[in-house]
Structure formats: C-alpha cells, structure tokens
Amino acid sequence: FGSSLPALTTVRSAGELGTLSIMGCMTAKQVAIERELHSLRELSGAAKESAEEINKLKASQAETIAKMQENNRNEIKTLHEKISSMVTDGSDEHRKTQEAHSDELRQMHERHTKEVRRMQEEHHNQMSEELMRHVEEVRKLQVEHRNTLRSLNMDMRVMAAPGKCCAMSVAPTKDLITSAGSTTNLNEKATKF
C-alpha cells in the first residue's frame, strides 16, 4: 500500500477523490475507479471546451459566410447596374440614331417639297407664258385671216364690176344666196374654224 499512497495524495490534492473509507485506506479497486472518474471528468471538461470551441468556430464561419454572401450580393447588384446602364446606353444610342435619321429624312422631305413647288411654279409660269404666246399668235392669225378675207372680198367686188368678162354677181352685203333660198354671211363662214 505504501506505493499507492503517494498517488492517492496527489489525486486528493487535486480534489478528485471522493470520500475515503472509514479506515483511512483505499483499495486498489477504488483507486482505479477514482482514476476512471477523474479521466471521465477531464474528458467531459475537454468535450465541453471543444464544444465551445466548435461553437465559436461555427459562429465565426457563419459570420464569414454572411460577409461573403453580402459581398456577393453587392457585386451582383453592381453587375446588374452595369448591365442596365449598358442596355440604357445602347437604347439611348439607338434612339439618338433613329432621331438623327428621322431628322435627316424630314429635312430631305422638306427640300424635296420645296424643289417640287419651285418646279411646279416654274412649269406654271412657263405654261402661262406659252399659252399667252399661243393666244397672241392665234389673234394675229385671226386678224391676218380677216384681213385676207376682206381683201379677197374687195377683189371679188372689183372683179364683179359690170363690164368685166367673168362677171359674178356678188351682193353688196356679203350675203350669198344659195339655191335653197337661205342667206349666209361670208364673214361668219370665213371666221369659223
């Protein structure tokens, strides 16, 4: 027993021993049980400490994961904003191109309309001038024709004077009597086209 006693005192000094037997001596079996109890208590303490450490690790990992997720959300949000700004810029460029094209078409249409109006006015003026020239020519031709008819009428009167060889009887009023008995004015016939 002498060799087991110092081990018991160390165990006792650590506060791990239970009640000693009444005689003041412990058996080897009791010492072994006490040692097992001591190791079990140490194991349960170590298990508590590891559980606390695991919980701390889990908490720190959860915090790290939350930070990473927040960073990922921020990056995704930034990328979405960039994409939407690119789409907006693209649609703005397309809209500006369409507006420029529309403005160019409108200006071309206005120029074309002005050119057509100018050409219509020129054509109208030319046609008016041409019409006036034709009207003048027709008047001149009518006057010339009337004068020719008058001179022919005078020549016929001179030729129809009495004593001429081919005497025609022409009435002095320029009326011609036909075989049916109706009278027609020569001037009216001569001026009709």
Side-chain angles (χ1 to χ4, degrees), residues 51-111:
E52 288 175 5
E53 285 180 23
I54 288 173
N55 287 338
K56 286 179 184 177
L57 277 172
K58 283 182 181 178
S60 69
Q61 284 180 348
E63 186 178 321
T64 306
I65 289 172
K67 285 180 183 178
M68 286 174 59
Q69 286 176 341
E70 183 65 27
N71 289 339
N72 286 343
R73 275 192 223 105
N74 289 337
E75 286 179 18
I76 290 172
K77 184 178 178 182
T78 305
L79 289 174
H80 280 297
E81 289 173 358
K82 284 182 181 179
I83 289 170
S84 65
S85 70
M86 287 172 65
V87 168
T88 305
D89 291 344
S91 63
D92 285 344
E93 281 183 29
H94 182 68
R95 182 181 48 81
K96 287 177 183 178
T97 304
Q98 288 289 345
E99 286 177 1
H101 184 66
S102 298
D103 288 342
E104 186 177 341
L105 284 175
R106 182 180 46 79
Q107 289 172 358
M108 285 176 63
H109 181 68
E110 287 176 0
R111 283 194 304 264

Side-chain angles (χ1 to χ4, degrees), residues 18-34:
T19 30
L20 290 174
S21 64
I22 299 178
M23 295 298 228
C25 292
M26 286 183 60
T27 63
K29 199 174 195 179
Q30 285 178 335
V31 170
I33 291 173
E34 287 295 322

